[in-house]
Each structure stands twice: as structure tokens, then as C-alpha cells.
């Protein structure tokens, strides 16, 4: 595959059956394919094993959708998600499938703004707009959307989204006291009952244990990838790792973990051979902050185009998704669900207060990734990340870590301005 000829495959008949706006979606498909070619396939010296992930993108609107439809036909529920708080293990144990829904595109925002206020998070608008405009096959396929009460923009949008596609909302605690843990455990049990009702299948201890192993294996593969990219020089670009972290949310988990491990084998050989991407003395940047939902590649592209390399994402599309595993030896349902509750309560989303763990985690990841500086990335109107940024900035100042804050959206309008700021930041680091 090369940058000029790459194309995302078209499945107009299937899209028609899914009730999509086929003509408009087809234009979006062509545009996405072109951007993908320029952003990813134009990179030099990519690992050979990235071919699987390129192929996954080529089939993003077809191959995976066919798999989801086949699963549904076999009675397996398909759940669309927007947050790493979904207890995926429970869905898997009932034979179901989780798919992360797109929310990283400017193209669907005008659809959302016909209904929602303009001054809310672009991720929420983008995701909502995909349903309004009927331009995402994933949201057309799902049995229900999993929503959560992490932030105000999301929780109020679910009420409106629910009129278009069934939306199940779980209450996420905002603190981590004992009472919050008890409440979250109760929420998990109710979610399990809902999944069992939908699938017609009881979630047994055996099935749940198997699902925990599947998810742990997938998370272990991503941890391995992240550890390998921390090598100096790094054997893979930040863009490619971000892409894999995004694909993690919709690919079949066993296949995905196997492919990531194959890639890791190749990266180990590259490290031994001293192969560097992009060059041995490239400035190493760690990104922290909000998730970058598909196809949000803007910041990574700008940073790496300026000659630096991104070596870590402290983000839900990043380490927050895979840093924590679960015990695999739970003997009874109550113990497993309690372990699961603990694992998910370790997620240090900025919706929590206080959230000191996240500040510590950012510093820990900075040290582990051998980065030279941190860019904190927030989306416009995301109050929790935009305010928590103050504490990250203070911590970086205390530790003498070069630091920059970027608040952006999905439009191309601030590209020039971000490019200039990134270049100045890299110069500051180079000294
Ligand atoms: S666990 S980070 S995936 S909520 S950026 S929509 S918070 S206004 S994405 Fe998130 Fe779950 Fe937390 Fe992770 Fe709201 Fe902020 Fe937008 Fe956000």
C-alpha cells in the first residue's frame, strides 16, 4: 500500500441496508483515505508489521462491519462505547462485542450543531453528529450505545441521543471514597443484568474469567508495545502507535493482541539493530490529556512533521486504557466483580476530584518514556481537563520538565498557529 493508491474500501449496498446517507458517506470515505495516505503511508522506514493496521483501516467501513453483523445475526450483542469506563469483560463474557464509536472528525460537527449548542466539546459533537447525519456504520449497527456520566456535555447529550439509538447510561462516581466504590459495584451488577437480558445468556464465573484473560492479554500486548517504543532511539513513530491504540477500540481483541505482539517482535529486532524513527537525535515528546478518538491525528502529525517523535500518550486512547490489569483467579462472581470494580476505579479520568493519582501518573510516564518534554492536550470546552492542566503545569515546573499546553478542536483553522508553537517548543528543548 502506498500514499497515492491507498483507498478505504466501499460497501454501498451494505451501507444502504444500514440506513446510511450513502452519497455523503462515500465522500467522507474518499477524504479519509486521502488523509490516511498522506499522514501514515508517507512515513519513512515504517515497521513491516504495520501492514495489518493499514489493512484494518482499509476495511474500517466494511470488513469489521460485516463481522459485527454476523455476530448480531448469531445473537451476540454489539455495544457502542465512548469511554474506557465500560466494563468490557462483562460484555465479552456474555458473548458480546464492544466497539469504540468515532468522535474525532470535524466532518460530522455541523450535523450536531443543528441540535446541540456549539460551545461544547468537539468529541461529543462529532460523535453525536455521526448519528444525526447517518454517516457512521458502527453507530448504525450497535444494539445500544454505552454512555456514562463523566462530564456534563456527555451526560446531557445521552438523553437526546437516546431518542435516535438506545443509550444505556452508567453513573460514574466523581470521587473515590468507599461509598463511591459501593455505588460503582452496584452499577456494574446492573449493567451485567442488562447485558444478560440482551444476550439471553447468563454471565458465568467461567465465562467472565475467560473474558478477563482476553482483556488482560490485549492490555498486556499494548503495554509491551508502549514499553518498546520507550527505547532510545524509538523504533516506531508516535503516529503509528496512536493509530494502533485507536484500532484497539474496535478490532476483535484476540486477533488484535496477536498482531500487536507480532509487531512487538519486529520492534525488538529494530531496537537490537539500533533502527530509529525518525532519527536518533529526534526530540522525544510525551502527550498527556484528553483521548484522541479516530480519526484525530492532528497533534501527532504536527509534532512529528516538525522532526520530533511522540513516545507516550497519557490518555484514554493510550495508557489509561491498558495500564491496569485484573486478577485472573477470581473464584466466585462477587470477588471477580469486586476486582473489576477496583480495576476500573483506578482510571484517573479528570472527572474525579481530587485526582492526585493522575498528576503522579503523568510524572511516572514521563520518566519511563525517557521523554524530553510534555505537551498537555485538551479539547475546547473540556472543563475538567482544561482546569486539571493547571496542576500538571505546576508539577512540570516543580520537576523542571519542559511543558506546553495546547487546547484545540478538530478544525484545520489553528494548524498554522499550533505548528508555530510546537516548533518554538522543540527549539526551547533543543536549547
Ligand atoms: S475516562 S477521559 S474516555 S470521560 S474531552 S467528552 S471529558 S468534555 S473523554 Fe473521557 Fe471516559 Fe474520562 Fe477517558 Fe467530556 Fe472532556 Fe469532551 Fe471527554
Amino acid at each position: 500500500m502506498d500514499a497515492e493508491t491507498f483507498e478505504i474500501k466501499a460497501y454501498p449496498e451494505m451501507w444502504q441496508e444500514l440506513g446510511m446517507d450513502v452519497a455523503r458517506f462515500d465522500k467522507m470515505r474518499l477524504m479519509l483515505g486521502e488523509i490516511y495516505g498522506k499522514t501514515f503511508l508517507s512515513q519513512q522506514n515504517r515497521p513491516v508489521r504495520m501492514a495489518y493496521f493499514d489493512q484494518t483501516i482499509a476495511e474500517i467501513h466494511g470488513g469489521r462491519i460485516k463481522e459485527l453483523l454476523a455476530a448480531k445475526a448469531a445473537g451476540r450483542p454489539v455495544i457502542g462505547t465512548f469511554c474506557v469506563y465500560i466494563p468490557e469483560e462483562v460484555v465479552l463474557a456474555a458473548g458480546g462485542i464492544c466497539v469504540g464509536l468515532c468522535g474525532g472528525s470535524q466532518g460530522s460537527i455541523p450535523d450536531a450543531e443543528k441540535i446541540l449548542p456549539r460551545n461544547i466539546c468537539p468529541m461529543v459533537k462529532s460523535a453525536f453528529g455521526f448519528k444525526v447525519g447517518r454517516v457512521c456504520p458502527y453507530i448504525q449497527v450497535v444494539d445500544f450505545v454505552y454512555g456514562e456520566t463523566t462530564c456534563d456535555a456527555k451526560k446531557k447529550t445521552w438523553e437526546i441521543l437516546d431518542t435516535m439509538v438506545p443509550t444505556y447510561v452508567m453513573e460514574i462516581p466523581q470521587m473515590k471514597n468507599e461509598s463511591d466504590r459501593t455505588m460503582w459495584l452496584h452499577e456494574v451488577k446492573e449493567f451485567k443484568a442488562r447485558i444478560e437480558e440482551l444476550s439471553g445468556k447468563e454471565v458465568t464465573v467461567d465465562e467472565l474469567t475467560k473474558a478477563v484473560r482476553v482483556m488482560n492479554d490485549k492490555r498486556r500486548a499494548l503495554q509491551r508495545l508502549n514499553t518498546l517504543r520507550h527505547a532510545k532511539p524509538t523504533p516506531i513513530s508516535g503516529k503509528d502507535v496512536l493509530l494502533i491504540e485507536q484500532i484497539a477500540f474496535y478490532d476483535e481483541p484476540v486477533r488484535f493482541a496477536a498482531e500487536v505482539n507480532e509487531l512487538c517482535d519486529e520492534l525488538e529486532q529494530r531496537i537490537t539493530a539500533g533502527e530509529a524513527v525518525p532519527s536518533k537525535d529526534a526530540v522525544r515528546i510525551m502527550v498527556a490529556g484528553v483521548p484522541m478518538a479516530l480519526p484525530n491525528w492532528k497533534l501527532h502529525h504536527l509534532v512529528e512533521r516538525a522532526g520530533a517523535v511522540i513516545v507516550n500518550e497519557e490518555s484514554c486512547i493510550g495508557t489509561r486504557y491498558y495500564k491496569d490489569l485484573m486478577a485472573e483467579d477470581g473464584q466466585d462472581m462477587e470477588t471477580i466483580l469486586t476486582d473489576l470494580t477496583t480495576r476500573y476505579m483506578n482510571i484517573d479520568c479528570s472527572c474525579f476530584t481530587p485526582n492526585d493519582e493522575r498528576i503522579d501518573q503523568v510524572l511516572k510516564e514521563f520518566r519511563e518514556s525517557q521523554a524530553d518534554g510534555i505537551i498537555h492536550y485538551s479539547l475546547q470546552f473540556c472543563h475538567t481537563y482544561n482546569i486539571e492542566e493547571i496542576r500538571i503545569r505546576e508539577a512540570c515546573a516543580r520537576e523542571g520538565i519542559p511543558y506546553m499546553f495546547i487546547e484545540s478542536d478538530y478544525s484545520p483553522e489553528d494548524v498554522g498557529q499550533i505548528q508555530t508553537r510546537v516548533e518554538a517548543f522543540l527549539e526551547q528543548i533543543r536549547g
Side-chain angles (χ1 to χ4, degrees):
M1 282 184 209
D2 60 57
E4 276 71 47
T5 56
F6 179 81
E7 206 181 68
I8 293 173
K9 306 263 168 51
Y11 290 82
E13 282 164 22
M14 182 172 70
W15 299 337
Q16 191 72 50
E17 279 170 29
L18 289 172
M20 296 176 64
D21 181 338
V22 176
R24 186 165 157 222
F25 184 60
D26 204 45
K27 284 191 195 131
M28 291 169 91
R29 168 188 75 86
L30 290 171
M31 212 182 298
L32 183 66
E34 197 184 323
I35 294 170
Y36 186 80
K38 285 188 185 142
T39 309
F40 289 91
L41 302 179
S42 61
Q43 296 177 100
Q44 301 298 311
N45 193 25
R46 292 177 87 211
V48 175
R49 284 283 172 180
M50 283 307 297
Y52 170 78
F53 303 98
D54 293 336
Q55 182 58 29
T56 306
I57 293 293
E59 284 293 344
I60 189 169
H61 297 151
R64 184 62 179 142
I65 302 296
K66 281 189 171 176
E67 289 180 353
L68 298 179
L69 289 170
K72 274 183 76 152
R76 301 172 60 195
V78 177
I79 316 300
T81 75
F82 289 114
C83 180
V84 296
Y85 259 95
I86 174 141
E88 280 190 70
E89 291 82 356
V90 173
V91 178
L92 255 57
I97 299 175
C98 288
V99 280
L101 297 170
C102 300
S105 165
Q106 178 68 18
S108 55
I109 285 185
D111 299 274
E113 287 180 344
K114 287 182 198 149
I115 300 170
L116 295 175
R118 300 187 68 178
N119 57 348
I120 61 169
C121 168
M123 184 153 25
V124 174
K125 284 191 289 186
S126 173
F128 183 78
F130 274 117
K131 181 64 199 172
V132 176
R134 297 179 292 118
V135 281
C136 171
Y138 289 90
I139 204 161
Q140 298 299 111
V141 166
V142 298
D143 288 288
F144 69 77
V145 168
Y146 167 89
E148 14 64 43
T149 58
T150 44
C151 71
D152 292 350
K154 276 179 167 178
K155 74 183 172 206
K156 297 312 290 181
T157 298
W158 304 144
E159 295 170 17
I160 305 173
L161 187 67
D162 190 42
T163 63
M164 302 171 208
V165 52
T167 305
Y168 180 94
V169 182
M170 266 176 101
E171 181 161 4
I172 309 294
Q174 311 281 296
M175 297 180 82
K176 292 186 178 175
N177 298 323
E178 211 38 55
S179 55
D180 300 301
R181 289 174 198 279
T182 307
M183 184 267 272
W184 175 240
L185 177 59
H186 175 76
E187 285 288 306
V188 169
K189 286 179 179 171
E190 290 216 326
F191 180 69
K192 173 173 157 292
R194 175 74 186 94
I195 291 290
E196 287 174 330
E197 183 192 13
L198 183 63
S199 64
K201 190 178 162 195
E202 190 194 342
V203 171
T204 62
V205 168
D206 269 7
E207 291 297 333
L208 191 51
T209 304
K210 270 190 227 152
V212 166
R213 289 200 187 112
V214 167
M215 288 306 298
N216 276 357
D217 285 347
K218 174 175 164 180
R219 291 188 165 114
R220 271 191 282 262
L222 287 162
Q223 287 175 358
R224 184 179 169 210
L225 172 64
N226 204 40
T227 302
L228 289 171
R229 77 191 291 208
H230 291 168
K232 231 174 171 176
T234 185
I236 184 167
S237 72
K239 271 194 286 198
D240 279 339
V241 177
L242 174 66
L243 177 73
I244 294 166
E245 289 167 337
Q246 290 170 331
I247 290 173
F249 286 88
Y250 75 90
D251 200 2
E252 196 286 317
V254 176
R255 177 176 65 206
F256 173 83
E259 290 292 339
V260 172
N261 278 316
E262 296 272 4
L263 171 68
C264 288
D265 292 344
E266 184 184 352
L267 296 186
E268 280 171 355
Q269 290 165 13
R270 286 181 150 228
I271 291 169
T272 308
E275 273 186 68
V277 172
S279 73
K280 286 194 167 58
D281 52 1
V283 173
R284 299 163 65 91
I285 296 296
M286 166 174 150
V287 171
V290 298
M292 293 167 173
L294 258 176
N296 180 7
W297 304 309
K298 185 169 161 181
L299 180 64
H300 278 55
H301 188 53
L302 291 176
V303 170
E304 299 203 333
R305 201 168 67 180
V309 63
I310 291 180
V311 290
N312 199 81
E313 289 84 22
E314 185 275 332
S315 163
C316 289
I317 310 277
T319 55
R320 266 201 295 283
Y321 180 59
Y322 54 75
K323 71 180 170 59
D324 301 310
L325 303 179
M326 266 187 70
E328 293 180 12
D329 57 355
Q331 302 296 314
D332 59 81
M333 189 56 77
E334 192 66 20
T335 310
I336 302 177
L337 291 182
T338 305
D339 277 355
L340 186 138
T341 305
T342 305
R343 188 237 165 244
Y344 281 83
M345 286 292 278
N346 279 339
I347 298 171
D348 46 12
C349 174
S350 63
C351 68
F352 283 95
T353 185
N355 198 26
D356 297 345
E357 304 96 292
R358 177 159 177 252
I359 316 299
D360 297 340
Q361 184 66 23
V362 167
L363 297 177
K364 178 171 175 274
E365 292 184 23
F366 174 75
R367 285 188 289 270
E368 287 172 353
S369 62
Q370 307 192 68
D372 300 311
I374 293 180
I375 296 180
H376 192 280
Y377 171 76
S378 287
L379 288 170
Q380 277 175 4
F381 309 111
C382 176
H383 304 320
T384 56
Y385 278 96
N386 281 332
I387 295 173
E388 197 156 276
E389 181 274 328
I390 298 166
R391 296 203 54 210
I392 306 277
R393 187 188 341 139
E394 287 171 351
C396 287
R398 265 196 315 275
E399 302 282 325
I401 298 170
Y403 174 82
M404 182 169 81
F405 173 47
I406 289 180
E407 183 188 351
S408 184
D409 59 12
Y410 300 153
S411 77
E413 275 153 33
D414 58 359
V415 162
Q417 189 211 34
I418 294 176
Q419 183 82 45
T420 307
R421 290 188 59 216
V422 164
E423 281 166 6
F425 183 54
L426 298 180
E427 273 318 302
Q428 177 203 331
I429 292 175
R430 289 187 191 110

